[in-house]
Amino acid sequence: MLISLEGKRALVTGGNSGIGEAIVDALSEAGAKVGINYVVHPETAKKIVTRIRGKRGEALALQADVTDPGAVAAMFGRMDEAWGGIDILVNNAGIDGGRALSWEADGGAWRKVIEVNLMGAFYCAQQALKRMISQKSGVVLSISSVHEIIAWSGYSAYTASKAAVGMMTKSLAQEAAPYGVRVLAVGPGAIKTPINRSVWSDPAGLKDLLSKIPLNRMGEAEEISRMVVVLVSDVASYVTGRTIYVDGGMTDYPDFARGG
Ligand code: BGC
C-alpha cells in the first residue's frame, strides 16, 4: 500500500522540535507542502525549511503564538496566500508546565498550559475547519497524550488539557463529519524528546518510566510521525472522532501483568 500526500497542504504547530519536527519531515516525505509553525527559535524552523527544500520539498516557516487568536488567523492567512488554503492541520504545540502539586501550583502557570494545549488547538482547529468545511475535505489531528486518560500527580493542568483535547476532538468530529472532514487525535506515550529529557537522562527516572511501558522501551518521534501520516491519509478514511494511542502499551496499565 502506497501512502501519498502529494499536493496536500499541511500545517504543524510547534513544528520545530521533538514530535512536531518528526511530523513535519514525515508529511514532507509523503509529498505534502508543510507549514512549520513555531513560537521561539526561528533558526530551528529555518533550518528545517532549508533541509526540506534541499530535498525538493515545499516548506514555510510560520511564526505565531497559538494562544493569540489574531496571530493564528494571520498564520492561516499566510497559508492561504502561499498555497491557497489547508488540507491537514496537526495541532502539536504543547507544554507540560512543569511539576507542581495543585495546592502549590501557580495559577498563571496552570492557565498557560490550558492556553497552549487546549485554546491553541481550538483556535487553529477553528481556522482550519472554516476552510475545510467550505472545500468539503480535510483532516484536523491533535497530538494528545496517554495523559488524556492516565492521571499524573503534579501535572493536573497537563492532564486536564489533554482530556479536554480528547473530548473537543470528538465534538469537532461530529460537527465536521457531514462535510467529509475528519477530526482525530494521537495519544503518544513516553517518546524520547526534549519535553521529558530530565526523566530519560536520569537512570533512576528511566528505570521507573520503563516499568510503566509493556514494550519496555521509550518510543521514537518517528513512531508517532509514521502513525500521523497514516491517519491523515486516505488509508484512514473511515477513522474520525477518536484518540489513537501510540504508547508501547502504557495505557494497558502494565502493573496488571500480575495480581489484581
Ligand atoms: C509527556 C511525557 C511523558 C509521557 C508519559 C507525555 O504526554 O509529555 O513527559 O513521559 O507522557 O508519561
Side-chain angles (χ1 to χ4, degrees), residues 66 123 137 150 188 190:
V66 294
Y123 294 141
S137 70
I150 301 180

Side-chain angles (χ1 to χ4, degrees), residues 87-206:
D87 303 294
I88 298 163
L89 166 67
V90 181
N91 276 322
N92 166 79
I95 55 172
D96 67 18
R99 185 184 283 274
L101 294 171
S102 53
W103 52 90
E104 290 162 357
D106 171 67
W110 213 96
R111 176 188 292 271
K112 180 81 183 163
V113 173
I114 300 294
E115 277 178 357
V116 175
N117 298 3
L118 179 60
M119 298 308 297
F122 174 70
Y123 294 141
C124 292
Q126 188 177 40
Q127 290 293 330
L129 287 173
K130 270 185 197 166
R131 291 160 171 86
M132 293 174 181
I133 293 306
S134 68
Q135 75 196 11
K136 293 197 163 53
S137 70
V139 183
V140 172
L141 185 150
S142 297
I143 300 301
S144 178
S145 165
V146 288
H147 296 296
E148 188 180 311
I149 53 171
I150 301 180
W152 195 11
S153 290
Y155 291 92
S156 55
Y158 185 72
T159 54
S161 73
K162 295 300 185 178
V165 163
M167 190 48 89
M168 177 178 81
T169 296
K170 290 185 182 189
S171 299
L172 299 187
Q174 216 172 61
E175 292 177 6
Y179 303 90
V181 173
R182 297 186 294 118
V183 184
L184 68 166
V186 162
I191 310 301
K192 203 169 181 183
T193 68
I195 205 172
N196 48 21
R197 172 167 291 138
S198 64
V199 177
W200 53 259
S201 58
D202 162 47
L206 180 62

Side-chain angles (χ1 to χ4, degrees), residues 13 23 37-38 46 60 67 73 88 90 124 144 146 154 161 204 215 219-220 232 238 260:
T13 66
I23 294 172
N37 159 261
Y38 65 96
K46 282 170 193 144
L60 272 181
T67 69
I88 298 163
V90 181
C124 292
S144 178
V146 288
S161 73
L215 286 184
E220 299 295 332
V232 301
Y238 208 50

